[in-house]
Amino acid sequence: MASSISMKELTLGVCYYPEHWPEELWADDFRRMREMNLSVIRLAEFSWAMLEPVEGQFDFRFFQRVMDLAYQYGLQVILGTPTATPPAWLTHRYPEVLNASREGVLYRHGMRRHYNYSSPKYRELCARIVRNMVEAYKDHPAVIGWQIDNELNCEINEFYAEADHQAFRQWLQARYGTLDQLNKAWGTVFWSQTYTDWEQVHLTRPMVSASPNPHLALDEKRFISDNAISFAKLQADIIRELAPQHWVTTNGTFGHLDSHKLTDELLDFFSYDSYPQFATLSSGTEENPLGDRAWSMNLSNVRSISPNFCVMEQQSGPGGWVDRIEMGTPRPGQIRLWSYQSVLHGTDLLVYFRWRTATMGTEIYWHGINDYHNRPNRRVREVAQVGEELARVGSLLAGTVYQAEVALMQSYDNMWDGELDRWHGPLQWQSMRSWYKQLQYRHIPADVITLREKTTIEELLRYKVIIYPHSAIMTDETAKLLTQYVQRGGTLLFGARTGYKDIHGQCYMRPFPGPVAELCGITVEDFTLVKGSVRAAELQWEGSRSQLPACTAAVGFNEVLQVEDAAVEVMARYASEYYRGKPALTRRTEGQGSVWYYGAAYSEPIVDAIIDELDLTAPFADWLEVPANVEAGIRSADGRSYLFLLNYSEQPAQLVLKKPAVDLLSGVKLDGTLELPGYDVLVIEV
Ligand code: GAL
């Protein structure tokens, strides 16, 4: 079981950069933080050039002074190790520590995260600064924990420095032992790619077209993830050795990084950086129909790493760099709404980014709570309101956990393989989005979980329903686990392109869906990608409870299913194209459960019909009516249960309560028909 943060009360904090401000401001800042019920600050994660201004010469006095003062004001401190921003002297003297583009062009000083994880020199210098920093601060009474680096794999998640090519070779040697095994795993007999010497093996390099060997490309991502974890381990080990009394975390979920493994192996709990305003960059588009509410899906994924976690950076103003990521200002109520969105989904320590907007540098438009002028503003008042509310109810909420009986499942292998493979990658997002959206709109709480080698049957059996839509890579072991889940009562749903690849991403010489064909009781007799002029077939619903809207199409991919087992029921058929009349969606009962196979990617209408057929309803359906634009979810523990209602719309939402309740946040009594104002939040004990 993943590990959680353990807080006595729901706690608020803020990212603070004392190095950006005159020292005279610190005391006033700290006093005002405490008035707003912010009791934790995160410091120092970009401060290497201050801590080690000259190679080998350390100076820890600055943050010592900051922490002494913070402590006087009753603030606790999270310290970030500064390895995301190597000083100029370092990259100038040791250019081998720099990351490089695929073409081998080095990324130079001037941004952040421009280093590679492989360089022995960088590892040595990181270990030294971290050791010295932990030594210097470990006994400070304000310090409660450490953040390793900052957002591993953010900004860039590909690494092509010379040191990376070398480290990749070593990683491959450990994984495959011999070149012969490597050649087999990568299918190098195809197009004469056979390697005869390890020196010939590289991470992907510039080629005549951007289509690398797909098996190499998959291993490249696995390597990047393992390499990031081993880089973080270097630091975690030092912190644990010197400061065993402190917790260790790191922040952010980024590409090519197995955050579950990272957390299991190194951390006390995981932390996430929540910026729902990113949704406005693609809001209302087909890509992101949920807008800022789509962030709940990200937070649900974080919860699968640590059921209760820290949000190390919570958006507290409009985002933007000088030249990109421009965002509008959060409207009145949205900062508070997003704070409770994080809390609903499992946050017990919520740290706002940042106290005051920077007056210099790349992020002069990434707004914090305070403006440059430092006078009270609407964002300060809004955060203070959250602070005031949590001061009253924070101890009730702490430790309660989001409740869900439905899970959307994914796996790193399939995510990474699907980045390159256009025949299954895009289907995944289509299906996850449709399921998450419809479950959200119908108030059926859902988790997002990750299937891993170590996933146990008990972990799966927590859910009544699991949707594992397009797991192209599927081993026989996984199939066995999933079969057990169904036999023991679970309802499992697959989608097109399931089970046709092995662990290397090579295709099986077996009928689709390979290892789960028997479980599903079907095979795929014909198939087509749906794209461009290739039309999606329409569907004819055969289930008993629901109907599909006219002309509902089977999007993304059309697999023509062949029933192989008498126990299979056909729930929908294709109604057009040359395969009209053939099965598109099937259900088979096995043991105490059932398994569904859909030969396409899930879209909203088909998800709705399946939800009806499965008879899934909101946990409060008998006493509360909530419109679709309000998110509803429950956090519970030890007999305490709290229902959160979050209105993401600017418009008021009408609620109908069939029994009286009280809003914990305001103390107001609720009954009958009432309006939840735009962007407002209710928390009700149930
Ligand atoms: C995060 C990062 C912060 C800050 C913020 C706003 O990704 O960790 O340091 O840059 O974004 O851009």
Side-chain angles (χ1 to χ4, degrees):
M1 181 64 192
S3 38
S4 273
I5 191 170
S6 166
M7 304 295 294
K8 286 207 183 60
E9 53 192 57
L10 232 133
T11 303
L12 295 182
V14 67
C15 300
Y16 189 57
Y17 298 92
E19 66 273 32
H20 297 175
W21 311 108
E23 193 156 341
E24 305 81 77
L25 274 185
W26 298 352
D28 183 58
D29 286 339
F30 293 161
R31 179 186 58 76
R32 288 197 293 131
M33 287 175 195
R34 297 300 283 136
E35 281 172 12
M36 294 164 72
N37 197 35
L38 303 175
S39 52
V40 174
I41 52 175
R42 182 191 64 176
L43 296 175
E45 79 276 14
F46 300 123
S47 65
W48 194 340
M50 294 176 72
L51 301 179
E52 191 181 358
V54 175
E55 184 173 355
Q57 291 180 24
F58 300 95
D59 184 346
F60 294 105
R61 287 170 300 181
F62 180 87
F63 285 99
Q64 180 74 43
R65 282 206 307 285
V66 177
M67 290 198 289
D68 289 348
L69 190 65
Y71 187 64
Q72 280 177 33
Y73 280 85
L75 287 162
Q76 297 184 309
V77 170
I78 302 164
L79 285 168
T81 66
T83 51
T85 47
W89 59 254
L90 195 161
T91 51
H92 183 73
R93 172 142 190 227
Y94 306 107
E96 70 269 30
V97 311
L98 293 167
N99 189 6
S101 69
R102 187 171 279 165
E103 292 71 30
V105 178
L106 296 181
Y107 295 119
R108 296 291 181 173
H109 187 79
M111 247 287 287
R112 59 178 175 185
R113 309 208 52 77
H114 44 293
Y115 54 94
N116 67 67
Y117 299 131
S118 307
S119 149
K121 185 42 104 179
Y122 198 56
R123 287 185 172 227
E124 173 198 322
L125 295 174
C126 285
R128 191 171 65 174
I129 181 65
V130 170
R131 180 167 287 282
N132 278 277
M133 183 179 183
V134 180
E135 284 281 8
Y137 296 139
K138 69 182 169 41
D139 296 321
H140 198 286
V143 179
I144 52 172
W146 296 80
Q147 171 192 300
I148 293 172
D149 200 277
N150 186 74
E151 296 193 333
L152 296 162
N153 283 12
C154 176
E155 250 77 86
I156 192 159
N157 56 31
E158 292 183 328
F159 298 83
Y160 299 111
E162 193 43 46
D164 294 312
H165 290 289
Q166 285 168 20
F168 185 44
R169 260 169 237 141
Q170 284 166 12
W171 183 87
L172 291 168
Q173 279 163 357
R175 185 175 174 83
Y176 294 111
T178 64
L179 266 184
D180 193 33
Q181 288 301 323
L182 175 83
N183 280 317
K184 280 202 186 99
W186 288 3
T188 53
V189 64
F190 185 80
W191 283 351
S192 214
Q193 289 173 0
T194 308
Y195 298 101
T196 53
D197 189 315
W198 284 102
E199 288 302 306
Q200 299 157 2
V201 181
H202 292 86
L203 293 153
T204 53
R205 289 186 294 180
M207 286 163 301
V208 287
S209 103
S211 297
N213 175 314
H215 320 297
L216 181 165
L218 174 58
D219 270 347
E220 177 169 312
K221 288 160 189 123
R222 290 174 173 145
F223 157 73
I224 291 170
S225 176
D226 280 354
N227 206 29
I229 294 171
S230 101
F231 174 75
K233 182 173 191 308
L234 194 70
Q235 303 194 23
D237 286 350
I238 293 169
I239 301 168
R240 298 238 182 251
E241 173 200 330
L242 299 176
Q245 73 279 23
H246 294 153
W247 46 250
V248 180
T249 188
T250 190
N251 55 331
T253 45
F254 294 95
H256 309 165
L257 178 52
D258 181 338
S259 299
H260 292 77
K261 185 171 175 189
L262 171 81
T263 305
D264 282 359
E265 291 184 0
L266 308 183
L267 308 179
D268 289 287
F269 55 85
F270 192 69
S271 300
Y272 180 64
D273 296 341
S274 190
Y275 292 97
Q277 190 82 339
F278 268 113
T280 58
L281 304 176
S282 60
S283 215
T285 61
E286 211 182 301
E287 265 299 285
N288 179 15
L290 278 172
D292 50 345
R293 194 167 163 184
W295 237 246
S296 296
M297 187 159 150
N298 300 358
L299 291 158
S300 302
N301 172 45
V302 176
R303 195 169 59 233
S304 79
I305 309 172
S306 289
N308 290 102
F309 53 90
C310 163
V311 162
M312 196 60 95
E313 299 179 13
Q314 175 74 44
Q315 182 156 12
S316 67
W321 282 10
V322 173
D323 58 333
R324 63 189 194 104
I325 358 182
E326 300 97 342
M327 297 177 190
T329 292
R331 302 176 69 81
Q334 279 190 317
I335 294 173
R336 175 170 172 264
L337 172 79
W338 296 334
S339 304
Y340 283 107
Q341 178 184 34
S342 291
V343 172
L344 163 61
H345 287 282
T347 304
D348 275 13
L349 170 57
L350 184 136
V351 182
Y352 289 98
F353 186 85
R354 47 183 279 159
W355 174 245
R356 191 167 33 242
T357 314
T359 56
M360 81 275 282
T362 305
E363 293 196 336
I364 53 177
Y365 304 133
W366 204 289
H367 294 77
I369 302 171
N370 287 275
D371 286 303
Y372 316 123
H373 57 58
N374 217 22
R375 292 158 67 177
N377 65 19
R378 141 171 105 71
R379 302 196 300 280
V380 172
R381 288 191 289 276
E382 210 168 299
V383 170
Q385 183 187 345
V386 178
E388 188 274 320
E389 291 164 347
L390 290 181
R392 281 184 288 109
V393 304
S395 52
L396 298 175
L397 298 175
T400 56
V401 178
Y402 189 90
Q403 304 295 311
E405 292 183 332
V406 176
L408 305 181
M409 192 154 78
Q410 54 192 12
S411 79
Y412 286 105
D413 277 339
N414 279 301
M415 269 189 284
W416 295 340
D417 192 63
E419 276 183 40
L420 182 73
D421 188 332
R422 310 297 298 162
W423 278 52
H424 74 87
L427 306 183
Q428 176 72 9
W429 178 231
Q430 159 71 34
S431 288
M432 293 288 273
R433 189 181 67 206
S434 303
W435 270 102
Y436 198 76
K437 179 172 163 237
Q438 294 318 105
L439 291 166
Q440 269 277 329
Y441 281 1
R442 298 178 64 161
H443 309 303
I444 301 158
D447 281 348
V448 174
I449 60 172
T450 299
L451 185 70
R452 309 166 61 205
E453 249 173 65
K454 55 190 277 192
T455 300
T456 62
I457 186 67
E458 286 71 31
E459 287 173 79
L460 298 184
L461 283 169
R462 267 191 236 134
Y463 300 100
K464 274 199 336 210
V465 178
I466 295 179
I467 300 112
Y468 190 28
H470 308 287
S471 47
I473 295 182
M474 168 86 71
T475 62
D476 286 307
E477 293 74 51
T478 301
K480 239 183 247 158
L481 181 73
L482 298 176
T483 303
Q484 241 187 311
Y485 169 71
V486 175
Q487 285 168 342
R488 292 177 62 178
T491 298
L492 181 63
L493 293 103
F494 293 116
R497 310 302 285 164
T498 291
Y500 70 98
K501 284 185 168 182
D502 69 11
I503 201 70
H504 304 297
Q506 295 195 25
C507 300
Y508 291 124
M509 292 179 70
R510 295 158 82 166
F512 300 161
V516 291
E518 204 179 315
L519 173 64
C520 297
I522 54 105
T523 53
V524 175
E525 69 169 70
D526 195 3
F527 54 84
T528 179
L529 182 70
V530 172
K531 204 167 184 182
S533 62
V534 181
R535 287 183 307 265
E538 289 174 15
L539 288 167
Q540 166 73 44
W541 188 254
E542 305 268 305
S544 54
R545 293 185 182 231
S546 191
Q547 279 306 320
L548 282 177
C551 307
T552 298
V555 302
F557 214 93
N558 286 179
E559 287 179 344
V560 180
L561 309 185
Q562 179 166 311
V563 173
E564 303 276 0
D565 180 305
V568 170
E569 295 163 82
V570 176
M571 304 300 291
R573 291 181 188 277
Y574 293 109
S576 63
E577 300 308 314
Y578 66 89
Y579 37 95
R580 109 176 52 86
K582 298 271 189 175
L585 173 70
T586 58
R587 178 171 68 182
R588 177 170 175 270
T589 306
E590 158 93 20
Q592 295 163 286
S594 63
V595 54
W596 296 60
Y597 191 94
Y598 183 41
Y602 291 93
S603 59
E604 283 89 343
I606 193 87
V607 166
D608 264 337
I610 295 172
I611 290 177
D612 289 341
E613 207 73 34
L614 294 175
D615 206 13
L616 298 174
T617 51
F620 45 78
D622 55 335
W623 64 274
L624 176 65
E625 286 171 27
V626 185
N629 56 1
V630 171
E631 176 170 11
I634 296 175
R635 277 183 65 149
S636 304
D638 311 324
R640 304 171 350 253
S641 274
Y642 304 97
L643 170 65
F644 287 61
L645 298 170
L646 309 170
N647 185 2
Y648 289 86
S649 154
E650 197 180 356
Q651 304 303 324
Q654 201 182 71
L655 310 176
V656 184
L657 278 90
K658 295 177 193 152
K659 65 177 189 194
V662 177
D663 172 30
L664 269 193
L665 303 180
S666 62
V668 170
K669 290 204 178 95
L670 313 166
D671 203 0
T673 302
L674 56 106
E675 272 196 352
L676 177 62
Y679 305 129
D680 208 353
V681 177
L682 292 175
V683 179
I684 300 172
E685 185 160 5
V686 289

